[in-house]
Amino acid sequence: MEHPVTEGTVLWEPPEDARTRTAMGRFIDAAAERHGIALADYDAAWRWSVDDLEGFWATVWDHFDVIAHEPYREVLLDREMPQTVWFPGASLNYAEHALRRDDDALAVIARSESRDDIELTYAELRIAVAAARAGLATLGVGPGDRVVAYLPTIPETLIAFLASASLGAIWSSCAPEFGVSAVLDRFQQIEPKVLLTIDGYRYGGRDHDRADEVAAIRDGLPTLEHTVVLPFLDRDGDLAAFPDVLTWDALLDAGGAPLTFEAVAFDHPLYVLYSSGTTGLPKSIVHGHGGILVEHLKMLSLHSDLDRADRFFWFTTTGWMMWNYLASGLLVGATVVFYDGNPAHPDLSTLWRMASELRVTYFGTSAPFIHTCMREGLSPGSSFDLSALRGVGSTGAPLSPEGFAWVYEHVGSDLLLGSVSGGTDLCTAFVGSSPLLPVHAGEIQCRCLGAKVEAFDADGKPVIGKRGELVITEPMPSMPVFFWGDEDGSRLRSSYFSEFEGVWRHGDWIRITDRGSCVITGRSDATLNRGGVRMGTSEFYRVVEGLPEVADSLVVHLDEGDDDRLLLFLVLRDDAALSEEFEGRLRGAIREGLSPRHVPDSVFEIAAVPRTLSGKKLEIPVKKILLGTAVSDAASPDALQNPASLDAFVKITGRL
């Protein structure tokens, strides 16, 4: 960095008229008037929103003019988690809200390695969804049936999802780079009726035929009645390798059909998302129409300040919850921008170049991507015209203070940088950004409205200014309706509520500052506890990956029985070597930046850090391998970006 920055440094402040200019400010003013209360600032609004859940969520409902076919009887039937019931009596449909706009404004802009850009207006999107809806209905799809997709981030996926939702069917998707086992581990659980797929795709300039994978997936889904194939790699439509299928065009042949929406209960399943599945069968997390609707309206409009004038982009695949979140940009009338392909092909500037060309106003990405751009010396704000950009989002891992500073120095100085954290479990962020608050380096701006996030100490007491377990102590509408196949709810309770009775434990370390900002320091189940000094892994990686020689890293604490060793694994840059001189500087940096107790006992060079398909590092599975667990038992290869990377740890085990 040209200008080293420390955690807490103020990098951006909202304009003086933010309260009147932003959707968040206008909402808070309207809420204060409606309820006859004083909400002087964001902190007061947050406290009201979590203390008066009924008042807050009723205000959200009315503020966004939720379309109800039947009104709700009350906001909250049972406040106790996990049996909370939201808006009983109400009936609605998510897709009806996503498609309530019907004009010539752009709904979707899609860029892909495989074909030219595609644009759809809201009017065109409605026509396409109506046709897909009619096609699915002719296949016998109705409320409660499962429609699954093996599709990339393209308009057809969005069309099929909205058509499914409009029927009251239940959607689920996997990205086409998922292996067969990973797909079947997910889709077999929910017993789908219809599969939508492509024939293949292009990534990084290389074609990937998926005929064999699709055949194996079909064979592994005995409940499947119909398969719809989109000729994507071979646009001439040669589908000889796909017997007994319907083409995408044939599905849409019912063009001209009216667009209608099945009215469903607030908690009627909308889609099924999945946990990573790296160490066992993925959890099948069911989200409801109403919970996702009101939560995403709140987040996208109030926290990200998006509206009809925005072009909203987030780099994601259809196997990550951020795809579902991106699709909800339609709820606020924005234009959603899709990218299908390798974000580093032909170079690391690909997404920034796209943002310039398409006049993107909100650019969503991951902390690892920002850190990579920083280490590679990119300066997108100088290289491209990013004058339309007014917001940047970062998730997937904690963003370092240096990453914050890089965005403001090299992307744009007048941006709302929203470092956010949440999860697939709620399909949202519960700590995130606010256009009414300053941005401090290395800190998430706030706890989101309606999300009572707290840090619990070992005794289950809330603490401020100290690291604790991230918990949610009041219910949120987008918490899972249930886990598929978890008839008695025991798996859901054991996943989130076994540590603290009636309190959601998320599994992260968090520190809440006295000004209400938040710092996530890593997974609580991967804590580095050396001689009583506890350290989150993200703190460790910030120091290690701050060295110019280090491209990536993984740290594992072996703390079984009398064994107490800290092992560090490094991916070095091409011009670097694990020399005695470098190792000395590395240990010195850790001793000075962290603590003497966190200097690793051994340092190893590896070719790649194993990551999940959504980019998370595999600390716990690697630890299991190093302690003797077979690779096949420690992690599911099809749930990883780079399964071969685990082999290195088997070899290292013999050297320990």
Side-chain angles (χ1 to χ4, degrees):
M1 295 300 303
E2 292 91 330
H3 307 290
V5 64
T6 58
E7 182 181 296
T9 301
V10 176
L11 299 174
W12 179 87
E13 294 195 62
E16 291 183 2
D17 59 350
R19 183 79 175 230
T20 57
R21 283 179 51 187
T22 64
M24 172 79 78
R26 293 190 294 271
F27 172 84
I28 292 174
D29 285 342
E33 181 177 356
R34 170 175 173 158
H35 295 279
I37 54 178
L39 300 175
D41 54 21
Y42 181 84
D43 184 66
W46 177 80
R47 293 187 184 282
W48 162 71
S49 75
V50 296
D51 290 341
D52 182 9
L53 291 180
E54 291 87 348
F56 170 70
W57 287 107
T59 304
V60 168
W61 184 285
D62 292 341
H63 184 81
F64 290 106
D65 192 23
V66 170
I67 304 167
H69 293 251
E70 294 291 337
Y72 62 84
R73 296 189 297 272
E74 52 190 311
V75 174
L76 201 57
L77 184 61
D78 189 342
R79 200 180 185 108
E80 187 174 344
M81 296 183 282
Q83 59 261 32
T84 309
V85 178
W86 288 94
F87 295 99
S91 65
L92 41 68
N93 191 287
Y94 170 96
E96 187 169 10
H97 292 80
L99 296 169
R100 70 195 302 176
R101 188 172 185 180
D102 184 9
D103 55 26
D104 291 334
L106 287 177
V108 183
I109 305 175
R111 177 160 293 187
S112 171
E113 283 191 38
S114 303
R115 61 187 181 187
D116 294 337
D117 288 2
I118 292 177
E119 296 183 351
L120 290 175
T121 67
Y122 270 90
E124 291 168 337
L125 180 60
R126 286 176 58 91
I127 292 169
V129 171
R133 183 188 196 278
L136 289 174
T138 63
L139 301 183
V141 175
D145 289 328
R146 275 75 69 200
V147 176
V148 297
Y150 192 50
L151 294 172
T153 304
I154 54 178
E156 290 88 345
T157 311
L158 180 66
I159 291 165
F161 160 55
L162 293 173
S164 172
S166 74
L167 288 162
I170 304 169
W171 174 264
S172 194
S173 61
C174 286
E177 62 265 26
F178 277 37
V180 172
S181 296
V183 175
L184 293 179
D185 281 350
R186 289 156 173 77
F187 290 169
Q188 280 178 343
Q189 295 186 60
I190 64 173
E191 301 179 316
K193 176 179 282 190
V194 175
L195 166 69
L196 299 111
T197 182
I198 52 172
D199 58 337
Y201 64 95
R202 182 170 295 124
Y203 188 86
R206 179 185 170 194
D207 289 348
H208 298 264
D209 184 279
R210 303 309 269 175
D212 291 343
E213 286 78 7
V214 171
I217 291 167
R218 295 175 72 188
D219 287 345
L221 297 174
T223 61
L224 205 61
E225 296 179 10
H226 304 281
T227 299
V228 179
V229 178
L230 170 70
F232 190 63
L233 191 59
D234 180 3
R235 287 187 291 279
D236 292 333
D238 180 9
L239 298 178
F242 299 86
D244 303 317
V245 300
L246 193 68
T247 66
W248 174 259
D249 286 345
L251 179 74
L252 268 60
D253 271 349
L259 179 58
T260 58
F261 303 94
E262 183 78 18
V264 297
F266 186 89
D267 61 358
H268 182 83
L270 172 63
Y271 42 64
V272 181
L273 303 179
Y274 305 93
S275 61
S276 63
T278 53
T279 57
L281 199 63
K283 297 190 292 282
S284 296
I285 304 167
V286 180
H287 289 288
H289 276 247
I292 291 298
L293 173 64
V294 296
E295 173 62 29
H296 286 184
L297 281 169
K298 177 205 78 176
M299 285 300 301
L300 292 168
S301 175
L302 305 186
H303 285 275
S304 296
D305 202 34
L306 296 177
D307 60 23
R308 291 185 166 208
D310 283 293
R311 292 189 170 189
F312 174 43
F313 167 72
W314 210 296
F315 179 73
T316 182
T317 73
T318 57
W320 188 22
M321 60 147 281
M322 293 309 300
W323 182 87
N324 305 73
Y325 191 77
L326 174 59
S328 283
L330 299 176
L331 298 177
V332 296
T335 302
V336 296
V337 178
F338 290 158
Y339 182 77
D340 162 49
N342 185 340
H345 177 80
D347 55 61
L348 197 56
S349 293
T350 292
L351 297 183
W352 300 112
R353 185 179 299 109
M354 180 194 73
S356 172
E357 293 171 356
L358 301 184
R359 306 296 290 168
V360 168
T361 62
Y362 194 100
F363 183 97
T365 183
S366 67
F369 178 78
I370 290 176
H371 289 150
T372 300
C373 291
M374 178 179 70
R375 288 194 296 267
E376 293 299 322
L378 266 64
S379 186
S382 301
S383 303
F384 306 104
D385 177 8
L386 298 179
S387 57
L389 198 61
R390 62 187 188 88
V392 171
S394 172
T395 192
L399 183 62
S400 68
E402 294 82 3
F404 274 75
W406 179 85
V407 170
Y408 282 104
E409 291 179 6
H410 295 285
V411 179
S413 59
D414 190 20
L415 298 170
L416 176 60
L417 171 55
S419 178
V420 304
S421 184
T424 301
D425 322 75
L426 291 90
C427 197
T428 191
F430 33 75
V431 291
S433 64
S434 167
L436 302 182
L437 295 171
V439 174
H440 295 84
E443 298 179 6
I444 297 171
Q445 285 175 285
C446 63
R447 292 172 281 183
C448 296
L449 296 178
K452 194 166 187 182
V453 173
E454 298 188 81
F456 269 16
D457 64 15
D459 296 323
K461 304 297 183 184
V463 293
I464 297 292
K466 299 179 181 179
R467 185 179 57 196
E469 284 275 3
L470 191 162
V471 297
I472 304 174
T473 56
E474 294 289 352
M476 293 175 62
S478 68
M479 284 179 172
V481 178
F482 56 86
F483 286 175
W484 199 274
D486 183 29
E487 285 78 9
D488 62 358
S490 58
R491 194 178 184 200
L492 186 147
R493 286 192 297 273
S494 66
S495 296
Y496 310 117
F497 300 100
S498 60
E499 187 76 15
F500 307 106
E501 182 67 28
V503 170
W504 176 292
R505 172 186 173 272
H506 197 66
D508 284 336
W509 288 123
I510 187 172
R511 175 168 51 84
I512 301 169
T513 72
D514 56 6
R515 57 176 174 265
S517 60
C518 305
V519 179
I520 304 288
T521 57
R523 296 291 298 173
S524 57
D525 57 3
T527 302
L528 310 175
N529 185 358
R530 297 274 280 181
V533 180
R534 299 166 71 85
M535 183 90 49
T537 53
S538 69
E539 300 169 277
F540 194 93
Y541 295 138
R542 179 192 170 197
V543 171
V544 171
E545 293 172 18
L547 295 172
E549 293 89 346
V550 178
D552 206 353
S553 66
L554 184 82
V555 64
V556 173
H557 185 198
L558 299 185
D559 54 355
E560 301 291 319
D562 294 331
D563 196 359
D564 183 5
R565 286 177 292 169
L566 198 65
L567 309 181
L568 176 59
F569 305 92
L570 301 177
V571 179
L572 298 177
R573 298 186 178 279
D574 292 340
D575 57 350
L578 194 57
S579 64
E580 184 175 336
E581 183 273 335
F582 166 68
E583 225 180 299
R585 283 192 290 110
L586 170 69
R587 294 177 184 277
I590 294 171
R591 184 179 293 107
E592 181 179 345
L594 298 172
S595 82
R597 295 183 183 182
H598 288 85
V599 174
D601 296 288
S602 300
V603 181
F604 301 90
E605 184 176 357
I606 56 175
V609 169
R611 293 180 180 271
T612 67
L613 289 166
S614 60
K616 299 185 185 300
K617 299 183 183 185
L618 265 68
E619 292 130 338
I620 300 303
V622 166
K623 179 178 178 178
K624 291 180 179 180
I625 293 169
L626 295 173
L627 291 172
T629 302
V631 170
S632 58
D633 294 329
S636 171
D638 279 345
L640 308 184
Q641 287 182 1
N642 47 0
S645 62
L646 293 175
D647 295 340
F649 299 96
V650 177
K651 296 176 182 177
I652 289 171
T653 301
R655 297 160 54 188
L656 296 179

